[in-house]
Amino acid sequence: MRKPVGKIPNPDQLLTPKGQRGVFVLLFLLVQLLYWPSARAGFVTDYTGLLERLDGAPFSDFLNSFGFPALHPVTNFFLYWFHQCFGVQGLGWHLVHTTLHALNAWMVFRLTAKMMGQWKLRNGSLAALITALLFLAHPYNVEPVVWRVCFNHLFTTLLILGGLWYALRFFEEKKPALLWRTHGLFAIALLTFETALVLPMLLVIFAVMWPERPPLSGHRDRFRQWLLLFAPQLALLACWAALNRYLFGSVVGHYGPEVHLRFYPPEMAATLTKYFLKYLLFWRHWPHGWKEALMQWLDQPAAGWALFLAGLALLTLLLFSLRKIPTRLRLPLAALLAFFAVLLPVSNLYVSWLLYAENDRYGYLASFFFSLALVASLAQWRWRLWQKVLLLATILSFFAAWQQVQLWKHNAVVQQKVLHSWKWAQAPEVYVLAYPENYRGTPMFRTKRRGVLRNVCVALGNVGDRLALSALDTATRDSEPLIAEHATWAIEQIETREG
């Protein structure tokens, strides 16, 4: 009989304090390896507006978000000091963003491991590590990590994940001090970015989908426990809305009530479906014609209403059959519900699909719950096979994310060359028909007709007025689908802007 050569590592060692520290170091090193080429990138588009607001502004202006119409003092507190310390030197910004991304991936690991344990599912430690790696290397998460105006997305996600962590511990240990930490993180998140609004919904979902019975039942003081869970959050939301009303004249700032408070069920259902299919089928990487056909079908009112009614029926069925759902299915279902809940605040915004990587930041937090739903489902059946499939998917994600990072790197090189050879300082206005997502990050100076006219349509859609409508209307009948599509989009943008 042959003697064993060595001891087989126990995956559960990852859950010890030493193992968790090791996981964070691994995630931090991987994120540096992946994102280092883009360390000097990301100072584009909205960053110039941020720079204009910060230049010469006193520190105290962070309280009014430096004139931006939103309640983001925490975000602007940090942005002010980042601007003072780093300027437009990429290394400091890179370290802040990548460290936050690594911390978020580490919280994904801890939350997944705790949920797998609380729901008594198998293969928890390995499933948690794979979920964290999928989140870390997801190609749709490149934009918030590289673009320097996305600190709010990264930091708010960390606060939400921390709040959820303490809430899950409260469900388990029943210590009120844990829940007050959740409320404290929620208060900070509300002053950081509007994504914070999803935390109460997440608490409801995971409380209702808790294994076997609700975590706050079976106690004489059940009502007090639920009150402790939600009353402070509702009070914080009321204060947040009142402060917005006082400062901006509406209960919500940022894009304003005409955008954020526009609730049209078929449009919202179509948007949520677009995000779901984006993560499930990766339509971002499809040929243009395929994406166009899918988006046009989803944008039909009949399709939107059908999706809305189908979703409502499924949710009703889920609620009425809640007690009959097997424990092993509760976590995947909770994660899927959390995915849609996290996207609800942006479901009345448009979904960008014409460009290669625009607005991926809105799905940053949602990508965790999608990965959790996928991994928690597959971890229960033929795990030896599925873990190999998931590891392969992780490798492919790293490859796709690496390609995205290279596009941002290339864009930064082009941007620096343009700035260093600037010849138009005396011109009253200059339009540069380029930004990182266009043409997959390559420079926009193209001689082909379709490329030039497409760029013109994008520029007119962003800054044009009604004088451009006649030319754009002609372009909508162009034989080149790419030009016609962008001309139609530009007309819609101008008509929305000009009223």
Side-chain angles (χ1 to χ4, degrees), residues 6 85 109 120 130 132-133 143 214 243 272 338 359 386 395 464 483:
C85 296
F109 168 78
K120 297 180 174 58
I130 292 175
L133 291 174
E143 182 192 47
L243 193 54
L272 292 174
N359 285 7
W386 284 116
I395 294 172
I483 297 173

Side-chain angles (χ1 to χ4, degrees), residues 174-218:
K174 307 296 186 297
K175 296 179 180 179
L178 295 170
L179 200 53
W180 286 110
R181 295 179 188 179
T182 293
H183 300 326
L185 292 173
F186 181 53
I188 299 172
L190 281 174
L191 299 176
T192 303
F193 194 53
E194 288 82 4
T195 307
L197 296 171
V198 306
L199 183 56
M201 291 188 287
L202 294 178
L203 299 185
V204 171
I205 289 170
F206 285 100
V208 171
M209 297 299 290
W210 193 262
E212 297 179 1
R213 62 182 184 180
L216 305 181
S217 64

Side-chain angles (χ1 to χ4, degrees), residues 107 111 156-170 178-179 181-186 199 203 233:
M107 286 303 301
L111 279 165
T156 308
T157 295
L158 182 62
L159 295 171
I160 292 171
L161 294 179
L164 184 57
W165 168 262
Y166 286 117
L168 292 179
R169 286 186 57 191
F170 170 75
L178 295 170
L179 200 53
R181 295 179 188 179
T182 293
H183 300 326
L185 292 173
F186 181 53
L199 183 56
L203 299 185
Q233 303 232 332

Side-chain angles (χ1 to χ4, degrees), residues 45-46 53 67-72 143 147 149-150 152-153 193-195 197 240 244 248-262 275 344-352 358-362 493 496:
T45 56
D46 288 6
R53 294 196 305 272
F68 188 76
L71 203 58
H72 299 164
E143 182 192 47
W147 199 17
V149 294
C150 288
N152 51 357
H153 290 270
F193 194 53
E194 288 82 4
T195 307
L197 296 171
W240 177 82
N244 271 294
F248 311 117
S250 172
V251 295
V252 62
H254 209 140
Y255 296 134
E258 60 277 0
V259 174
H260 292 298
L261 300 183
R262 187 185 75 249
Y275 274 105
L344 268 179
V346 297
S347 62
N348 49 14
L349 303 180
Y350 72 97
V351 176
S352 176
E358 186 186 21
N359 285 7
D360 287 342
R361 61 193 181 277
Y362 292 134
Q493 297 302 305
T496 300

Side-chain angles (χ1 to χ4, degrees), residues 75-91:
T75 293
N76 285 278
F77 172 87
F78 285 104
L79 290 178
Y80 176 87
W81 289 113
F82 295 158
H83 176 62
Q84 294 295 318
C85 296
F86 311 140
V88 292
Q89 300 302 314
L91 182 59

